[in-house]
Amino acid sequence: MIVPRRRVLQLAGLSVLGASLPRNPLQAFTQTGEAPKRLVVVSHCHGWPYATWRIRPEELVDDEPWSVDLASMSRDEFSQPLAPLYEHRRRVLALDGLSLATAELDAGGNRHDRGWVHAWTGNNANFSARDTRSTSASIDHLVAGHIARADRLPSLELSVDAALEAGRPISYSPHGVRLPSENTPLAAWERVFGPASSGDAVGTRRRSTLDFAQAEYKELASNLDASGRDRLDSHFSLVERLGHRLEGLATLSCDAPARPAAAFAQYDQRFDAFTDIIGAAFGCDITRVVALSLGEMPTAEFGADHISDKVHKGIAHYIYDDEAKYGAMTDYAAHHAQQIARLVSTLENVPDVDGRSVMDNTLIVWGSELGDGWHGYRHYTPVLIGGSWAFDTGRYLYWPHDTPAEMRVPAQVLAEGVSRMSGLPHQKLLVSIAQAMGLDVDHVGLTHVRGQRGDYIDLTGGLDRLNG
């Protein structure tokens, strides 16, 4: 299976993995049959500027659910933050009418941390330790546990960091511990392609080390009681799985990006380098799940350096105080949409084993840790791209805000500082994602909560109308 060289690879100075390998070539990588399904979770900072993100055909109202066909719309009819996805509109599901209601109902900590934990786990945040934890696994981890190959990486966690703010933690284990992420393309490349490019000698030493450990285990096991043997069995089961994975990664062969530079000057360059690694990793079936966290972009990269050198505390917090800053966050969201569009195009150019493209068998979920930069949770507007095996794509879907949970709102929007109703709890989206990826579940994270007025809010089941 060959991953074609694309223009973006040429711009980044990338070449085929095989051309840079030591003397011993990789074993042939072949695969036939049905293509695997893949998931990419993308999370950016500071939410969306809702007033400029939304699409509102004049004849439609806000108190009834509705949908519009994106394929029939002109580019001019798209909102500015969604316009970069116009070329891919037939793959898009833009979701308007959700909220992070459970993050509003959670207690303690700060709204950023609560937001990113709820957004991707559907559960409460745990602030009892030094590092914020979740109380259940994130959606990417759940899906990886269901669809991963035993001899490959179960998932790949990436973070496009910037000098001022790194990408948010979005991947969590079932015990609530954040999963480590690679924050440079070079580190990601080493994790994905390193075992295959290190040569037979290194692979042999890895295998001999694991064999030695296994021999030690057999000798120790006879001297332990039943409880001790159970603990040792569990440990060496993990060791065996690690060995199986190392062998699988060391014996694959496919075209891939060359080892990237140690550092890139611009945020966009880092994003594109990560994108090429994702495309190659999917095309080679090295992993089927990627969590991509987007740190705060430098203001110069989206044209707002004349306002401030800081997005978070210089622009995002003040979107309801200053029209220019609201406009800057609109540009910020649009710039991320341009990046997502490049990711989609990259995956469209990678052939899959079923004769289609990798993108045809991929679901991209683009979300955030907040509804907006003011720290609001009220308007949570994620975008799905792909997943056509489960969803009727190419639509903008709207749901009215009729969930009985009060949401904090700026006084510039509502004088009382709170709305009495919220959008649909986003857990229903997480359930739809899990079901689309083959999991037999009716909830992700919490199953229900009580609103501030005591109303029962059901969090089970998926979103209606995603399937048409």
Side-chain angles (χ1 to χ4, degrees):
M1 178 165 54
I2 304 298
V3 179
R5 292 177 180 169
R6 304 178 302 285
R7 176 176 171 274
V8 68
L9 290 176
Q10 295 166 348
L11 289 174
L14 304 176
S15 60
V16 288
L17 174 62
S20 60
L21 288 178
R23 181 177 301 175
N24 293 318
L26 300 177
Q27 295 181 24
F29 174 81
T30 59
Q31 184 183 12
T32 58
E34 183 179 356
K37 300 296 184 288
R38 306 172 182 92
L39 174 69
V40 183
V41 170
V42 184
S43 186
H44 75 284
C45 305
H46 311 307
W48 304 263
Y50 180 68
T52 51
W53 179 92
R54 69 178 192 168
I55 294 176
R56 280 296 184 278
E58 291 184 3
E59 67 276 12
L60 298 175
V61 296
D62 285 354
D63 57 358
E64 295 178 2
W66 49 263
S67 68
V68 293
D69 178 18
L70 295 177
S72 64
M73 298 179 70
S74 69
R75 183 183 291 271
D76 291 340
E77 293 176 289
F78 268 54
S79 65
Q80 182 185 339
L82 290 173
L85 295 171
Y86 184 78
E87 177 185 349
H88 306 295
R89 62 194 182 280
R90 288 177 174 81
R91 297 188 187 274
V92 168
L93 275 170
L95 308 179
D96 182 352
L98 276 61
S99 69
L100 290 174
T102 58
E104 192 74 78
L105 294 166
D106 200 355
N110 68 77
R111 294 177 71 86
H112 283 280
D113 291 47
R114 291 214 311 265
W116 69 59
V117 169
H118 279 262
W120 301 113
T121 72
N123 216 326
N124 290 324
N126 177 357
F127 293 101
S128 63
R130 182 176 180 179
D131 184 32
T132 303
R133 296 187 175 188
S134 70
T135 46
S136 61
S138 54
I139 185 66
D140 58 303
H141 189 83
L142 293 174
V143 171
H146 183 70
I147 68 173
R149 287 179 56 166
D151 60 342
R152 298 289 190 266
L153 293 177
S155 60
L156 184 60
E157 294 76 34
L158 308 174
S159 182
V160 187
D161 290 352
L164 293 175
E165 292 202 21
R168 312 309 196 195
I170 60 176
S171 299
Y172 289 89
S173 76
H175 301 292
V177 178
R178 70 167 70 182
L179 301 179
S181 61
E182 309 298 349
N183 64 0
T184 68
L186 178 58
W189 190 96
E190 291 286 358
R191 183 176 172 189
V192 174
F193 302 109
S197 64
S198 58
D200 287 346
V202 174
T204 299
R205 287 197 297 271
R206 285 183 178 133
R207 183 68 259 175
S208 64
T209 300
L210 292 172
D211 288 343
F212 175 80
Q214 185 69 22
E216 289 286 294
Y217 157 68
K218 291 179 179 178
E219 184 174 339
L220 283 171
S222 61
N223 299 320
L224 298 175
D225 59 19
S227 176
R229 282 197 300 274
D230 286 344
R231 289 196 297 272
L232 207 57
D233 283 342
S234 176
H235 172 73
F236 275 94
S237 176
L238 294 175
V239 170
E240 278 300 297
R241 291 203 295 271
L242 174 61
H244 189 42
R245 189 179 302 160
L246 284 173
E247 286 184 320
L249 291 173
T251 57
L252 63 88
S253 176
C254 58
D255 283 4
R259 191 186 305 270
F264 292 88
Q266 292 185 318
Y267 188 104
D268 266 343
Q269 292 174 329
R270 293 194 293 279
F271 181 92
D272 288 343
F274 277 127
T275 291
D276 295 324
I277 292 170
I278 294 170
F282 277 177
C284 297
D285 204 18
I286 296 172
T287 191
R288 296 171 179 177
V289 176
V290 171
L292 178 61
S293 185
L294 305 182
E296 188 175 286
M297 276 189 295
T299 55
E301 294 207 28
F302 63 97
D305 49 327
H306 64 289
I307 298 176
S308 173
D309 62 346
K310 299 177 178 67
V311 174
H312 188 173
K313 296 183 179 179
I315 300 177
H317 282 185
Y318 306 104
I319 56 174
Y320 296 109
D321 299 311
D322 187 328
E323 289 185 7
K325 292 182 178 182
Y326 202 101
M329 292 310 293
T330 298
D331 295 336
Y332 180 87
H335 198 90
H336 275 318
Q338 292 173 16
Q339 294 166 338
I340 302 298
R342 294 202 300 273
L343 171 61
V344 175
S345 294
T346 296
L347 299 183
E348 285 179 337
N349 284 325
V350 180
D352 215 339
V353 295
D354 60 357
R356 303 194 300 164
S357 75
V358 162
M359 186 62 223
D360 290 323
N361 297 304
T362 296
L363 170 61
I364 297 174
V365 183
W366 174 22
S368 182
E369 93 275 16
L370 294 170
D372 60 40
W374 180 81
H375 292 163
Y377 296 138
R378 183 187 183 198
H379 291 294
Y380 190 69
T381 54
V383 176
L384 303 180
I385 309 167
S388 59
W389 64 86
F391 304 137
D392 181 12
T393 61
R395 296 180 298 148
Y396 182 108
L397 297 178
Y398 173 80
W399 294 266
H401 281 222
D402 55 12
T403 299
E406 296 179 355
M407 306 296 287
R408 181 178 164 188
V409 177
Q412 296 93 324
V413 176
L414 290 174
E416 55 270 34
V418 65
S419 67
R420 291 187 60 80
M421 296 291 182
S422 77
L424 286 170
H426 81 290
Q427 280 85 355
K428 293 184 175 294
L429 170 62
L430 298 181
V431 172
S432 292
I433 295 165
Q435 292 175 347
M437 301 306 300
L439 279 74
D440 183 15
V441 297
D442 71 347
H443 75 279
V444 173
L446 297 163
T447 59
H448 69 278
V449 288
R450 293 278 180 180
Q452 293 90 339
R453 300 182 297 273
D455 299 279
Y456 181 90
I457 302 173
D458 183 13
L459 306 177
T460 64
L463 283 174
D464 65 306
R465 298 189 294 139
L466 290 190
N467 300 326

